[in-house]
Amino acid sequence: MKGRQRRLILDTLLLGAVGTFSAQLFLFILRISQAVFLTWMAGYRPPGLPEEGGVLQQTVGSFGLLLVPLATTLGGLISGVLVYSLAPEAEGHGTGTAVEAFHRAGGFIRARVPPVKMLASAITIGSGGAAGREGPIALIAAGFGSVYATFTRRTEAERRLLVLIGMAAGLSAIFRSPVGTAFFAIEVLYRDMEFDSDALFYTMIASVVAYVLNGPFVGWQPLFNVPGNLAIPQLGDYAWYAALGIASGLVATLLPFVFYGARDLFKILPVPSHVKPAIGGLGVGLLALALPQVLGSGYGWVQEAIDGRLTVALLATLLFAKMAAFALTVSSGGSGGVFAPSLFVGAMLGGSFAAVFHQTPAPFVIVGMAAVFGGAARVPIATLLMVTEMTGGYHLLVPAALAVMLSYFVQTILSNPLRYKSLYETQVGGRADSPAHYMAH
């Protein structure tokens, strides 16, 4: 046992490094894609996070936004042709494919999937598709874990573990969240609040290694900048956070319904699968003519919401517009994650809530981000930790915990009778429901 554990620790250190470098390569290709499709072709540059070298200001070219639909449609077409010609399992958000591989495929992911996913997702997001980086890097890094397991001739149980280790490392590097992503890799497997706790030791090591190796590339600051003078929540404030948690639960119930409802509509559309992401891209581009804020991951606009620079009318509009754009992009078969759009929706909900009830925006935007995704994806603990690390808002941990748990509770009750209970349909109820575990006994 000790020899096996030593070997797995060495595997974990290696996959931590692989996760870091795959994340950096993905971000590099994504930057090139955005420069080509949005900046050069469409003449549009969305606001970017200062911590990622961006500027919190959008730039619109001489043609206005008229060329944006061309960029989003072309990006969707290229992505669709890539995915459906080479690796159909790389379509959609990606995390679900990794979860499916863990439960039902013995952790096996084809070697061609990581490079196809990397390129297709970079093109989808870079051309303005309303998707995020979480799903792509989760599948890319999990795929490298699976390929490594094949190369070193590991058992099925070890292959599954290496898939989780790779996923945690890639996510940690992308989001600068060493603790939250270690929990995400073992919590996202199940709809109920269960974990593969025996894997936590290894996912935590991989996440920390990836975070440490990633630091010299990107720095050590959280992704989002939160005002340092935020007041510590007092007794009366918790009623507001509880109300936001309940509202987040309602939105978290709606998100999977919209996402998979749109996916089902695209499935019955009588056109080749290769073309469907282009149709979704056209829809996003047309929506962006009125609301360019829906393009891409939208993190720059989330920072603007944290800073209190968006009006309540815009915040409320973007809450629903981003849901539509996200569904058009990913439900059509476009390649991108569900984490960033869900955070965006939660940020707009929190910002709207703060504006209506005359509260300071930053804490409610941050708590809304955690509460909506934590409920919609059924990963409350991991999301609470990830959003706290991504924002550096550690003194909001307690009110965020209240809101996330209320959101999860409301979402669980409301979605249980529904067909789609979570943003990740490949989740199983608990460990007892996973083929991975009843095959192991």
Side-chain angles (χ1 to χ4, degrees):
M1 182 63 184
K2 286 185 177 177
R4 176 179 179 270
Q5 194 171 48
R6 273 198 301 271
R7 187 181 67 197
L8 282 170
I9 289 172
L10 290 174
D11 296 335
T12 303
L13 296 174
L14 176 63
L15 289 176
V18 169
T20 302
F21 294 116
S22 58
Q24 286 304 314
L25 179 59
F26 175 51
L27 291 176
F28 174 71
I29 299 171
L30 178 55
R31 283 192 289 270
I32 292 174
S33 176
Q34 184 171 310
V36 170
F37 285 98
L38 278 186
T39 307
W40 176 74
M41 185 182 294
Y44 177 73
R45 181 176 290 156
L49 290 176
E51 283 303 326
E52 292 189 321
V55 179
L56 281 176
Q57 181 179 339
Q58 69 173 343
T59 306
V60 181
S62 53
F63 290 98
L65 299 168
L66 290 176
L67 296 176
V68 167
L70 174 64
T72 55
T73 306
L74 184 59
L77 180 62
I78 296 171
S79 171
V81 170
L82 263 175
V83 166
Y84 289 103
S85 300
L86 299 174
E89 63 268 48
E91 62 91 22
H93 53 77
T95 304
T97 305
V99 171
E100 175 83 3
F102 177 88
H103 288 307
R104 298 186 174 87
F108 180 77
I109 298 169
R110 288 198 297 169
R112 68 174 67 183
V113 170
V116 170
K117 187 67 177 176
M118 187 179 289
L119 194 54
S121 298
I123 290 169
T124 298
I125 303 165
S127 62
R133 314 163 188 173
E134 149 269 336
I137 196 60
L139 182 54
I140 291 162
F144 284 133
S146 177
V147 171
Y148 175 73
T150 301
F151 182 73
T152 53
R153 298 182 178 178
R154 295 307 173 81
T155 64
E156 200 170 283
E158 287 188 358
R159 184 199 298 276
R160 286 196 184 91
L161 179 57
L162 292 170
V163 161
L164 300 183
I165 290 167
M167 188 193 304
L171 288 167
S172 176
I174 284 283
F175 295 115
R176 309 183 196 179
S177 166
V179 178
T181 53
F183 277 90
F184 182 88
I186 62 170
E187 188 180 20
V188 73
L189 302 171
Y190 308 108
R191 280 193 307 274
D192 301 335
M193 208 180 292
E194 288 197 29
F195 304 91
D196 256 26
S197 53
D198 49 349
L200 181 59
F201 173 73
Y202 301 103
T203 59
M204 188 67 77
I205 292 174
S207 293
V208 170
V209 168
Y211 177 78
V212 170
L213 292 178
N214 198 52
F217 291 102
V218 300
W220 307 96
Q221 295 299 315
L223 273 179
F224 295 98
N225 180 29
V226 176
N229 58 351
L230 290 182
I232 294 173
Q234 301 300 306
L235 179 63
D237 298 326
Y238 283 89
W240 295 114
Y241 290 113
L244 177 57
I246 293 167
S248 297
L250 298 173
V251 173
T253 306
L254 184 60
L255 261 178
F257 178 79
V258 170
F259 178 60
Y260 287 111
R263 195 270 313 265
D264 293 343
L265 288 174
F266 272 105
K267 268 188 175 177
I268 60 173
L269 208 60
V271 295
S273 296
H274 302 65
V275 180
K276 290 178 183 178
I279 296 170
L282 176 61
V284 173
L286 293 174
L287 182 57
L289 292 176
L291 294 165
Q293 294 88 349
V294 302
L295 295 169
S297 64
Y299 281 158
W301 296 109
V302 171
Q303 183 64 58
E304 295 276 78
I306 290 171
D307 296 340
R309 293 183 185 149
L310 305 182
T311 65
V312 64
L314 182 57
L315 288 162
T317 303
L318 289 177
L319 196 167
F320 296 102
K322 188 68 171 187
M323 276 193 212
F326 154 56
L328 285 166
T329 299
V330 188
S331 303
S332 64
S335 191
V338 299
F339 184 63
S342 302
L343 289 193
F344 187 103
V345 168
M348 298 307 129
L349 175 67
S352 304
F353 194 93
V356 169
F357 296 107
H358 308 292
Q359 302 293 312
T360 306
F364 285 88
V365 170
I366 293 164
V367 171
M369 289 161 68
V372 167
F373 183 74
R378 300 270 187 108
V379 282
I381 306 300
T383 305
L384 175 63
L385 296 170
M386 284 177 71
V387 171
T388 303
E389 288 178 310
M390 288 168 65
T391 60
Y394 294 100
H395 58 295
L396 294 171
L397 195 58
V398 177
L402 173 65
V404 168
M405 290 308 165
L406 281 171
S407 172
Y408 177 83
F409 178 68
V410 169
Q411 201 274 351
T412 302
I413 290 174
L414 293 180
S415 66
N416 267 344
L418 302 178
R419 182 179 176 189
Y420 299 116
K421 297 172 172 49
S422 159
L423 282 173
Y424 301 120
E425 67 175 343
T426 54
Q427 287 172 327
V428 298
R431 286 172 61 90
D433 304 302
S434 171
H437 292 296
Y438 55 68
M439 279 193 278
H441 294 297

